[in-house]
Amino acid sequence: MTRRRTLAVIGAALAASTVVATGAGAQAFAGDASPAHRTVSRQPVMRTLTPQVRAQLDRAVQNVLKTTHTPGATVGLWAPGKGSYVKAFGTADTATNAPMSPNFNMRIGSVTKTFTVTALLRLVDQRQVSLDDPISKYVHGVPNGHHITLRHLAEMRSGLFNALNDEDFAKAFLADTSRTFTNEELLAYAFKHPVAFPAGSQYQYSNTNTILLSMVVEKVTGQPFGRYLTQHVLKPAHLKHTFVPKGAEFPAPHAHGYTDQASDDGSITDATNWAPPGAASGVMISNLHDLRSWASALAEGRLLSRATQAERLTMLPTGREGLSYGLGIFDVNGWIGHNGSLPGYQTVMVYLPKAKATLVVHTTSDVNVEGKSLSTKFAKAVTAIVTPKNVYDIPTS
């Protein structure tokens, strides 16, 4: 495994892509007039989770687990009137072969961004900030900061370089994986690089954007970001097992996570106790059941006014078929939410409004297979069975 892959994936949410004007996308069925498409169109939005469908899901998930050599995974699927499917597969620890559990705490990577942007949008509702404020109003020294708005940051359209893609950051991180980087240190890595394009003109995924938004929250409220988030997002959402760690702490019970990012030859390292990089762009810990609740709260806007929720769900093209991005949230072929990837762990947390269905996937590895993230492979396998007209898929770049 090369260091270039390390630079591209640490803390990334759309793990298949961090390039200018593109993102990861889903394959669309629109426009296919073939007989196969007509058959799919007659199917319900979501299949009922009968014993036969559950058996199909078991086989599909186990096949992905085996063919990708993923140590462990958990899958949660819920929909009113259709039933639920909550299962753990594989091992939580390759040294002991302890089984996975759907009750484990997990590192959720860039699903963190959905919380960070919600914290900002709560301040928008309180008229303490405006989405059209320039970031220079709150944080000094941001390149092109007078033209980059809070909206541009939340939409991933600022043009700012992704701090976690900087080679010096990668070297520093791998030299001490227990180190916690400050916001200022991360921004220094990002700001060495030129702005890629005029603000708002293109999509480019960058952790730098969400780091800056967390700093706006701190500046406006006078509180540490984690404290504000707990009081104004996590508690109102009734999430009791979701929090921002201060360092590498990882409360039990949890699964071990495995990565190939510590080597140049593809060898696997246990990254369980690595401090998650990226500050408010990707450090949070949660579990399957909290993310089930959060997925619907996020998509339905339970913590926001209707107007602000409408702003959040205004999805713009990313340059990739099937995927659009709003304010810290994406739409992948109808599934609304976010994904996350960091050393050792990947997550997908999405909600399908027309079926009121929620899907949460956790994996205990971030080793991409054929250029595609593991969490995408699992989510695609599940949705291809239960929602064939809305298949979650982020194709290889």
Side-chain angles (χ1 to χ4, degrees):
M1 200 63 243
T2 65
R3 288 293 171 85
R4 176 52 56 189
R5 191 252 172 185
T6 299
L7 301 178
V9 180
I10 289 177
L14 305 182
S17 175
T18 53
V19 294
V20 174
T22 68
Q27 295 177 348
F29 293 99
D32 181 356
S34 66
H37 175 63
R38 289 197 295 272
T39 299
V40 169
S41 296
R42 289 197 297 269
Q43 294 179 348
V45 172
M46 180 173 175
R47 296 174 66 192
T48 301
L49 298 173
T50 63
Q52 292 78 15
V53 172
R54 293 170 191 275
Q56 280 186 272
L57 290 171
D58 286 347
R59 291 191 296 270
V61 174
Q62 288 166 348
N63 180 63
V64 176
L65 197 79
K66 179 180 179 180
T67 58
T68 61
H69 306 289
T70 304
T74 54
V75 177
L77 178 66
W78 304 265
K82 301 294 184 179
S84 62
Y85 177 88
V86 180
K87 279 201 172 182
F89 299 83
T91 180
D93 185 345
T94 58
T96 66
N97 285 324
M100 283 291 290
S101 167
N103 298 316
F104 282 160
N105 295 312
M106 299 291 281
R107 299 195 189 279
I108 64 172
S110 287
V111 175
T112 299
K113 291 178 173 64
T114 64
F115 294 98
T116 302
V117 173
T118 299
L120 177 81
L121 295 179
R122 296 273 279 176
L123 296 177
V124 170
D125 271 344
Q126 297 164 15
R127 300 183 183 276
Q128 295 192 60
V129 302
S130 167
L131 286 170
D132 296 318
D133 288 341
I135 185 59
S136 60
K137 181 177 178 180
Y138 305 99
V139 182
H140 299 299
V142 179
N144 203 33
H146 293 292
H147 300 284
I148 296 171
T149 66
L150 306 188
R151 187 189 304 275
H152 294 143
L153 295 169
E155 291 172 341
M156 298 293 168
R157 291 175 175 267
S158 70
L160 294 171
F161 187 83
N162 187 349
L164 306 191
N165 282 5
D166 179 77
E167 292 186 5
D168 291 332
F169 165 78
K171 292 175 183 177
F173 175 74
L174 292 173
D176 181 5
T177 55
S178 66
R179 176 179 171 183
T180 299
F181 292 81
T182 66
N183 289 333
E184 289 73 20
E185 288 171 331
L186 292 170
L187 293 183
Y189 289 119
F191 295 169
K192 295 189 303 180
H193 301 267
V195 177
F197 49 79
S201 65
Q202 298 181 39
Y203 170 89
Q204 176 177 282
Y205 189 84
S206 175
N207 291 284
T208 304
N209 295 330
T210 327
I211 294 168
L212 284 166
L213 292 179
S214 73
M215 295 173 71
V216 172
V217 171
E218 292 187 330
K219 176 78 170 180
V220 172
T221 66
Q223 298 181 46
F225 176 74
R227 183 186 302 167
Y228 179 84
L229 187 75
T230 299
Q231 293 296 323
H232 297 274
V233 178
L234 303 182
K235 285 187 176 181
H238 307 292
L239 304 180
K240 298 180 179 179
H241 303 282
T242 304
F243 67 98
V244 180
K246 295 180 180 178
E249 69 266 24
F250 196 178
H254 62 251
H256 286 244
Y258 302 91
T259 188
D260 60 358
Q261 295 199 46
S263 69
D264 292 330
D265 60 5
S267 58
I268 302 300
T269 300
D270 188 328
T272 307
N273 296 317
W274 290 15
S281 69
V283 302
M284 290 180 70
I285 291 170
S286 188
N287 67 13
L288 197 73
H289 300 287
D290 264 17
L291 291 188
R292 172 197 178 183
S293 178
W294 179 240
S296 59
L298 179 72
E300 295 175 353
R302 290 182 206 150
L303 299 185
L304 302 179
S305 68
R306 288 186 180 182
T308 300
Q309 178 67 1
E311 296 264 28
R312 169 151 67 187
L313 296 184
T314 300
M315 303 287 179
L316 298 177
T318 63
R320 297 292 294 280
E321 184 181 29
L323 177 127
S324 53
Y325 203 91
L327 301 178
I329 192 171
F330 63 41
D331 182 325
V332 177
N333 202 20
W335 288 94
I336 296 172
H338 220 288
N339 63 352
S341 180
L342 74 170
Y345 302 92
Q346 290 189 341
T347 297
V348 167
M349 180 206 71
V350 286
Y351 182 79
L352 186 63
K354 60 186 178 180
K356 295 186 177 180
T358 300
L359 174 65
V360 180
V361 173
H362 290 300
T363 72
T364 62
S365 170
D366 69 312
V367 180
N368 289 348
V369 175
E370 299 172 348
K372 184 171 289 189
S373 70
L374 295 177
S375 61
T376 293
K377 284 183 169 289
F378 283 100
K380 180 180 179 181
V382 170
T383 56
I385 292 170
V386 297
T387 56
K389 290 188 287 186
N390 298 91
V391 177
Y392 178 101
D393 188 19
I394 300 179
T396 305
S397 294

